[in-house]
């Protein structure tokens, strides 16, 4: 279950948010002579030695992280520690609901303590070693504690639901839990921008009002009503650059890190923002939610089908013999992590498809291929990216197309110059972008 909660917390930073009220038009944005002067292809720079060291060491750390995601919950299960933790939770909580909450709090605190040295190295030490972080140790540790607290609150509020279903419907709990995960994840999408994200960084209006007006004009052209643009103070944490869309319904917004505003030109920023707008307009959230619901359903079903093997062979050693027992939480995490890992390639392939279509949308709505290409050159340089990663990296780790492929696509995709219709042109409004 913690793996699913983890997905829920990250969802606003990974998934796009949809938009309604689209109108059609065929007019293209107007650019001045200076903006059209740079029309040549953008070269993909080779990865620096430093970037390749970051890439290779990152692959090693990723493999270790995957193993830890299996070994730590396995240790909880097969040493009997989880059963002992349940007994302690029963003595403190007494009643069923409070036993669940106490167990989850204790489990979260123990796993946090176990993982703290690893997190300290991967999130703090390594990022500073490669010159990607500005974060102080106090800020990092404070954010880690806040993340722990958010996870405990969310788990305490919602963890009782799947365990109630496990007790009431042991044969169909996986189906009902998967169905209920959809509104839960949607709720996280709605509340994250206003309740969770501001716990970690300061969000506010853009300081460059002229640039904000250009972004809002582009949003109007893209068919997005009620757009809001936020600038977040990420330079206190990182030197890397990023932008994303977050929220749902009344909380939807475009978020720009202050680092990306400082390092990209206005034209480059508009192409990056155009990509994020593509996620809204193309309805990637409902499509992705449906896809995720199927993956969650399949993962929980496999966990349900295989849990019996552990009970028949190891129940005395584990100290529990039912998934409805809160002591089985690490076993559920172990099985969910295992089967989720096997389905990662399918999930990432779907994500890369959506990102590619958002790139296409950005190129069509801005028609500024050169700025799009140079923006990704800067993203590669600032984030120590490898533009041509190996196929195993793409298969198991890449939620976006490789940067080299994205720059190549920007150089080649110009249907309007050949008199061909653009795929998303019918979605655009006849509005000039300043």
């Amino acid at each position: 279950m913690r793996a699913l909660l983890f997905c829920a917390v990250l969802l606003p930073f990974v998934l796009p948010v949809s938009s309604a009220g689209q109108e059609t038009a065929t007019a293209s944005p107007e650019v001045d002579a200076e903006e059209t002067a740079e029309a040549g292809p953008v070269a993909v720079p080779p990865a620096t030695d430093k970037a390749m060291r970051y890439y290779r060491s990152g692959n090693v750390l990723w493999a270790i992280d995957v193993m830890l995601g299996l070994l730590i919950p396995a240790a909880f299960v097969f040493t009997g520690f989880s059963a002992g933790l349940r007994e302690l939770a029963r003595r403190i909580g007494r009643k069923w609901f409070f036993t669940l909450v106490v167990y989850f709090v204790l489990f979260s605190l123990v796993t946090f303590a176990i993982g703290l040295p690893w997190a300290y190295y991967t999130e703090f030490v390594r990022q500073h070693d490669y010159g990607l972080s500005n974060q102080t140790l106090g800020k990092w540790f404070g954010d880690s504690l806040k993340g722990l607290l958010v996870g405990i609150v969310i788990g305490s509020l919602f963890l009782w639901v799947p365990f109630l279903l496990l007790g009431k419907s042991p044969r169909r709990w996986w189906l009902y839990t998967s169905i209920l995960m959809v509104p839960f994840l949607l709720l996280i999408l709605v509340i994250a921008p206003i309740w969770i994200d501001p716990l970690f960084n300061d969000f506010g209006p853009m300081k460059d009002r002229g640039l904000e007006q250009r972004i809002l004009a582009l949003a109007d052209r893209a068919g997005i009503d009620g757009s809001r643009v936020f600038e977040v103070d990420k330079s206190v944490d990182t030197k890397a650059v990023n932008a994303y869309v977050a929220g749902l319904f009344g909380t939807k917004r475009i978020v720009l890190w202050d680092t990306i505003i400082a390092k990209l030109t206005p034209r480059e920023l508009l192409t990056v923002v155009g990509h994020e707008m593509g996620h809204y307009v193309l309805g990637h959230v409902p499509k992705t939610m449906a896809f995720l619901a199927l993956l969650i359903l399949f993962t929980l079903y496999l966990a349900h089908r295989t849990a019996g093997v552990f009970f028949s062979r190891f129940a005395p050693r584990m100290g529990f013999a039912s998934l409805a027992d809160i002591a089985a939480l690490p076993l559920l995490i172990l099985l969910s992590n295992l089967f989720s890992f096997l389905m990662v390639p399918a999930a990432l392939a779907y994500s890369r498809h959506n990102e590619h279509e958002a790139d296409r949308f950005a190129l069509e709505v801005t028609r500024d291929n050169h700025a799009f290409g140079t923006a990704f050159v800067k993203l590669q340089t600032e984030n120590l990216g490898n533009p041509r990663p190996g196929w195993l990296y793409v298969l198991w780790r890449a939620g976006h197309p490789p940067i080299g492929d994205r720059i190549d696509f920007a150089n080649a995709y110009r249907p309007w110059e050949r008199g061909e219709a653009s795929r998303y042109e019918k979605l655009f409004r006849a509005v000039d972008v300043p």
Side-chain angles (χ1 to χ4, degrees):
M1 298 301 161
R2 193 181 72 167
L4 299 181
L5 289 173
F6 177 71
C7 292
V9 173
L10 284 185
L11 209 58
F13 307 98
V14 178
L15 299 180
V17 181
S18 58
S19 175
Q22 297 154 353
E23 299 178 9
T24 61
T26 59
S28 61
E30 295 182 7
V31 294
D32 58 29
E34 180 182 355
E35 292 180 337
T36 58
E38 297 172 328
V42 177
V44 179
T48 64
D49 291 340
K50 185 178 182 181
M52 289 305 299
R53 291 196 303 272
Y54 187 73
Y55 165 75
R56 295 190 184 102
S57 62
N59 287 337
V60 174
L61 295 180
W62 170 81
I64 295 173
D65 202 54
V66 170
M67 293 303 299
L68 289 175
L70 301 176
L71 293 176
I72 292 176
F76 271 78
V77 170
F78 295 113
T79 62
F81 183 78
S82 183
L85 207 61
R86 174 203 58 207
E87 293 305 312
L88 177 60
R90 281 178 176 171
R91 290 195 296 270
I92 298 174
R94 298 181 180 275
K95 295 185 179 181
W96 177 81
F97 175 79
F98 295 108
T99 297
L100 279 154
V101 171
V102 172
Y103 176 94
F104 183 73
V105 171
L106 294 175
F107 175 78
S108 299
L109 291 173
V110 173
T111 54
F112 176 81
I114 293 173
L116 189 61
W118 178 252
Y120 169 68
Y121 173 72
T122 57
E123 298 172 8
F124 185 80
V125 174
R126 181 170 182 262
Q127 297 302 98
H128 280 81
D129 285 347
Y130 280 94
L132 291 174
S133 179
N134 298 317
Q135 200 171 44
T136 65
L137 181 59
K139 176 71 161 56
W140 173 82
F141 189 65
D143 285 352
S144 298
L145 290 178
K146 291 176 187 177
L148 172 66
L149 180 61
V150 169
I152 287 176
V153 171
I154 292 176
S156 299
L157 290 175
F158 295 101
L159 187 64
W160 63 272
V161 175
F163 277 93
L164 178 65
L165 294 172
L166 277 162
K168 298 292 185 181
S169 181
R171 299 184 63 183
R172 295 287 183 268
W173 70 271
W174 52 273
L175 175 62
Y176 303 139
T177 300
S178 301
I179 293 172
L180 291 175
M181 280 298 297
V182 175
F184 169 71
L185 294 178
L186 288 174
L187 175 63
I188 294 297
L189 278 175
V190 171
I191 68 173
I194 55 176
W195 294 105
I196 298 177
D197 298 350
L199 294 174
F200 302 91
N201 290 100
D202 293 329
F203 289 74
M206 288 195 63
K207 298 180 178 64
D208 188 336
R209 308 302 289 182
L211 178 59
E212 181 184 36
Q213 290 305 309
R214 294 182 70 174
I215 292 173
L216 293 176
L218 186 66
D220 193 18
R221 170 170 164 71
I224 301 175
D225 295 314
S227 301
R228 286 179 291 178
V229 185
F230 287 81
E231 181 175 333
V232 56
D233 180 20
K234 285 295 290 186
S235 57
V236 69
D237 294 327
T238 182
K239 298 177 183 178
V241 296
N242 196 20
Y244 61 89
V245 293
L248 195 62
F249 308 125
T251 67
K252 68 177 187 289
R253 62 201 57 201
I254 299 165
V255 179
L256 300 174
W257 290 9
D258 58 348
T259 53
I260 201 172
I261 294 174
K263 294 176 181 178
L264 267 62
T265 68
R267 285 174 52 200
E268 291 167 343
L269 274 172
L270 286 176
T271 62
V272 171
V273 172
H275 167 95
E276 304 303 335
M277 292 175 182
H279 287 311
Y280 277 112
V281 178
L282 301 180
H284 285 165
V285 151
K287 297 174 185 176
T288 302
M289 290 302 300
F291 184 76
L292 280 180
L294 290 176
L295 290 183
I296 292 171
L297 175 68
F298 194 42
T299 299
L300 294 184
Y301 175 72
L302 290 176
H304 166 73
R305 295 291 294 177
T306 56
V309 175
F310 291 87
F311 296 138
S312 62
R313 296 186 179 183
F314 306 110
R317 183 175 181 178
M318 295 188 302
F320 58 90
S322 169
L323 285 178
D325 191 326
I326 185 58
L329 177 62
L331 178 60
L332 282 169
I333 293 173
L334 171 63
L335 295 174
S336 296
N337 286 351
L338 174 62
F339 295 122
S340 296
F341 173 77
L342 298 177
M343 286 183 278
V344 158
L348 293 181
Y350 181 76
S351 175
R352 289 193 300 272
H353 168 76
N354 283 348
E355 296 297 333
H356 178 69
E357 290 308 304
D359 283 352
R360 187 193 309 275
F361 185 94
L363 290 170
E364 292 185 1
V365 78
T366 64
R367 295 194 180 182
D368 198 346
N369 299 60
H370 192 275
F372 186 96
T374 57
F376 277 98
V377 168
K378 290 182 180 180
L379 263 64
Q380 173 189 327
T381 302
E382 297 295 335
N383 297 343
L384 292 183
N386 177 7
R388 310 288 187 188
W391 66 271
L392 279 174
Y393 178 96
V394 174
L395 189 66
W396 291 100
R397 297 190 63 193
H400 293 70
I403 286 182
D405 293 353
R406 302 175 84 173
I407 296 173
D408 291 342
F409 182 65
N411 289 331
Y413 187 71
R414 301 171 183 267
W416 51 87
E417 292 184 356
R418 300 187 294 271
E420 300 172 1
S422 301
R423 179 172 300 183
Y424 302 121
E425 187 175 351
K426 61 183 180 296
L427 302 176
F428 303 151
R429 294 171 175 165
V431 176
D432 290 339
V433 179

